[in-house]
Amino acid sequence: MSQVQPRTRVTPPPHRPAAGTARPKGSGPMLAGAARRAWPALALYALVRTVGVLVVLPHTDRSVLQVLASRFDTTWYLLIAEEGYPATCPVQGELCRYAFFPLYPTLIRTVTALTPLSAQWAAWLIAVTASLAAAWGVYAVVERVAGRRAGIVSVVLWGLVPHAVVESMAYTEALFTAFSAWALYAVLTRRWITAGVLAVLAGLTRPPGAAVAATVALCALWALWSARRPAGPQEQRPDGPGPDGRGPRQVARLVTAVVLAPLGWLSWFGWVGYRAGRWDGYLRVQERWGTSFDGGRFTLHRVTQVFTQQTVFLDSVVIAATLTMAVVLLVVCHLQRLPAPLLIHATLIVLITVGCAGYFHSKARFLIPAFVLLIPLAKPLARARPAVVCTLLTGAALISNAYGIYLLTVSDHSP
C-alpha cells in the first residue's frame, strides 16, 4: 500500500501592478509620499527653468520683471487686475478685455491686497509657483501610466519644449497646465469631485478650459454608463475612468463631476454674453481679436507657407515644426493606446490649437498644456542608458535656451 504524501500549499507571490495600473482605492500614497517620489523631477525642472531664465538676462538690458512680467499678454492681465474689465480698446472696441479669463487677474489682485508685492511681482510669483505645481502634476500623471523614470523625463521635457520660456513668464499657461494635469490625475484615480472642481478652475483660466471640462465630463459619463452593466471580473479598468463602485455615493460623485466640470467655462461665456447683450458675445469678442474657429484652414495655410516660401522667420519655422510634431505625436499616443482621459485631453487641445484661426506665432505656446504628447518620447528615454539620456536632454536644453533668448530679445511677437 503506497503512502500518500501530503500536498504542500503553494502561496502565490504578491501581485505587483505594472506601471500604469491603478492602485486599489484607499491604498494610494499620502501627499508627503507623493512629494518624496516627485522631488527629483521637480528639482530637475527648477534647474532647467532657472537656467532658461538666467541665459536670457545677459542678452538684454532689462530687469527680470521687465523681461518676464511686463510684456505682451501680461500687460492685459495687469491692467485687469488693477483697473477691472470695463474698457475700450482702439482696435478691438468695447469689451476687449473680456477675451482674457478672470482667474489669473483675480489671483494677482488678491495677492497684492494681502501682501506688499506689486502687481508685477505677484503675477510672476503666481506663475512660477503654478509652473512647479504643473510640473508635479505632469509627473503624477505620467508616473501613473508609464512609471517613475518616464515621469521624471516627461517633466524635464516639458521644461524644455520650444516655448518653455513661457512657463517662467507671467502668463496663464503654467496655471492652466497645473489645473489640467491634476484634473487628469483626479480622473485616473477616480476622485471625481476633485476633478470637477479643477475643471471649473481651468475653465476660468483659459479658453481651452472647455477641453478639461469635456474630458472630466465625458469620463464621468462613461463611468456612469459602465456602472449600468452587470458586474464582471473585467470591470476594473486600471487605465481608464471605469467605475470603482456602484453605490449611490459613487453615482452622486459622478453626477456632481458631470455638472461641475463645465461651470467655470460656461459661467464666463455666459457673463460675457450678458455684457455684450447677445448669447455669442464671447465669440464676437474673440473675433475682434482676430480669433475664430475655421477647422484648421488658417493653420494649414500658414504651415504650408513656411515650408514653401524662400524667406521665413525662425519663429515661424519652429511653430510649424512644433504643430506638425504635435499631430504626429498625437497619432502615436492613440496607437500606443494611452488611457482614455489623456487621449481625450490631448486630442481636444490639439484640435483647438490647430482649428482656430489667428495668432499663428502663439500656437506653439497654446500646446504647452498638451504635455500628454511627450509620453511617447519619455518612454524610450526612460529605458535608455543614463549617458544617452543626459546627452539628449543637454542638447535639448541648449536648443530650448537659445530659442528662448530669441523669443524674448529678438522676436517682436508674443511668444
mmCIF file with all atom_site columns, all heavy atoms in Angstrom, residues 61 73 189 220 242 292:
data_model
loop_
_atom_site.group_PDB
_atom_site.id
_atom_site.type_symbol
_atom_site.label_atom_id
_atom_site.label_alt_id
_atom_site.label_comp_id
_atom_site.label_asym_id
_atom_site.label_entity_id
_atom_site.label_seq_id
_atom_site.pdbx_PDB_ins_code
_atom_site.Cartn_x
_atom_site.Cartn_y
_atom_site.Cartn_z
_atom_site.occupancy
_atom_site.B_iso_or_equiv
_atom_site.pdbx_formal_charge
_atom_site.auth_seq_id
_atom_site.auth_comp_id
_atom_site.auth_asym_id
_atom_site.auth_atom_id
_atom_site.pdbx_PDB_model_num
ATOM 1  N N   . ASP A 1 61  ? 19.136  94.504 -21.579 1.00 0.00 ? 61  ASP A N   1
ATOM 2  C CA  . ASP A 1 61  ? 19.425  95.459 -20.510 1.00 0.00 ? 61  ASP A CA  1
ATOM 3  C C   . ASP A 1 61  ? 18.218  95.645 -19.590 1.00 0.00 ? 61  ASP A C   1
ATOM 4  O O   . ASP A 1 61  ? 18.218  96.524 -18.729 1.00 0.00 ? 61  ASP A O   1
ATOM 5  C CB  . ASP A 1 61  ? 19.855  96.807 -21.094 1.00 0.00 ? 61  ASP A CB  1
ATOM 6  C CG  . ASP A 1 61  ? 18.816  97.369 -22.058 1.00 0.00 ? 61  ASP A CG  1
ATOM 7  O OD1 . ASP A 1 61  ? 17.794  96.686 -22.300 1.00 0.00 ? 61  ASP A OD1 1
ATOM 8  O OD2 . ASP A 1 61  ? 19.041  98.479 -22.569 1.00 0.00 ? 61  ASP A OD2 1
ATOM 9  N N   . ASP A 1 73  ? 0.961   89.654 -23.395 1.00 0.00 ? 73  ASP A N   1
ATOM 10 C CA  . ASP A 1 73  ? -0.316  89.394 -22.724 1.00 0.00 ? 73  ASP A CA  1
ATOM 11 C C   . ASP A 1 73  ? -0.296  89.762 -21.248 1.00 0.00 ? 73  ASP A C   1
ATOM 12 O O   . ASP A 1 73  ? -1.347  90.058 -20.664 1.00 0.00 ? 73  ASP A O   1
ATOM 13 C CB  . ASP A 1 73  ? -0.685  87.912 -22.856 1.00 0.00 ? 73  ASP A CB  1
ATOM 14 C CG  . ASP A 1 73  ? -1.118  87.563 -24.269 1.00 0.00 ? 73  ASP A CG  1
ATOM 15 O OD1 . ASP A 1 73  ? -0.993  88.420 -25.164 1.00 0.00 ? 73  ASP A OD1 1
ATOM 16 O OD2 . ASP A 1 73  ? -1.582  86.434 -24.486 1.00 0.00 ? 73  ASP A OD2 1
ATOM 17 N N   . THR A 1 189 ? -7.456  58.536 -10.888 1.00 0.00 ? 189 THR A N   1
ATOM 18 C CA  . THR A 1 189 ? -7.578  57.951 -9.548  1.00 0.00 ? 189 THR A CA  1
ATOM 19 C C   . THR A 1 189 ? -9.024  57.971 -9.051  1.00 0.00 ? 189 THR A C   1
ATOM 20 O O   . THR A 1 189 ? -9.274  57.669 -7.893  1.00 0.00 ? 189 THR A O   1
ATOM 21 C CB  . THR A 1 189 ? -6.678  58.711 -8.552  1.00 0.00 ? 189 THR A CB  1
ATOM 22 O OG1 . THR A 1 189 ? -7.004  60.104 -8.583  1.00 0.00 ? 189 THR A OG1 1
ATOM 23 C CG2 . THR A 1 189 ? -5.214  58.523 -8.912  1.00 0.00 ? 189 THR A CG2 1
ATOM 24 N N   . ALA A 1 220 ? -16.596 60.903 -16.702 1.00 0.00 ? 220 ALA A N   1
ATOM 25 C CA  . ALA A 1 220 ? -17.583 60.627 -15.660 1.00 0.00 ? 220 ALA A CA  1
ATOM 26 C C   . ALA A 1 220 ? -18.842 60.011 -16.263 1.00 0.00 ? 220 ALA A C   1
ATOM 27 O O   . ALA A 1 220 ? -19.430 59.075 -15.689 1.00 0.00 ? 220 ALA A O   1
ATOM 28 C CB  . ALA A 1 220 ? -17.921 61.912 -14.904 1.00 0.00 ? 220 ALA A CB  1
ATOM 29 N N   . GLY A 1 242 ? -13.227 53.871 -15.593 1.00 0.00 ? 242 GLY A N   1
ATOM 30 C CA  . GLY A 1 242 ? -14.274 52.921 -15.267 1.00 0.00 ? 242 GLY A CA  1
ATOM 31 C C   . GLY A 1 242 ? -14.712 53.027 -13.822 1.00 0.00 ? 242 GLY A C   1
ATOM 32 O O   . GLY A 1 242 ? -14.039 53.618 -12.978 1.00 0.00 ? 242 GLY A O   1
ATOM 33 N N   . SER A 1 292 ? -10.931 82.960 -34.451 1.00 0.00 ? 292 SER A N   1
ATOM 34 C CA  . SER A 1 292 ? -12.174 82.258 -34.748 1.00 0.00 ? 292 SER A CA  1
ATOM 35 C C   . SER A 1 292 ? -11.838 80.804 -35.069 1.00 0.00 ? 292 SER A C   1
ATOM 36 O O   . SER A 1 292 ? -10.663 80.463 -35.257 1.00 0.00 ? 292 SER A O   1
ATOM 37 C CB  . SER A 1 292 ? -12.908 82.910 -35.928 1.00 0.00 ? 292 SER A CB  1
ATOM 38 O OG  . SER A 1 292 ? -12.095 82.863 -37.097 1.00 0.00 ? 292 SER A OG  1
#
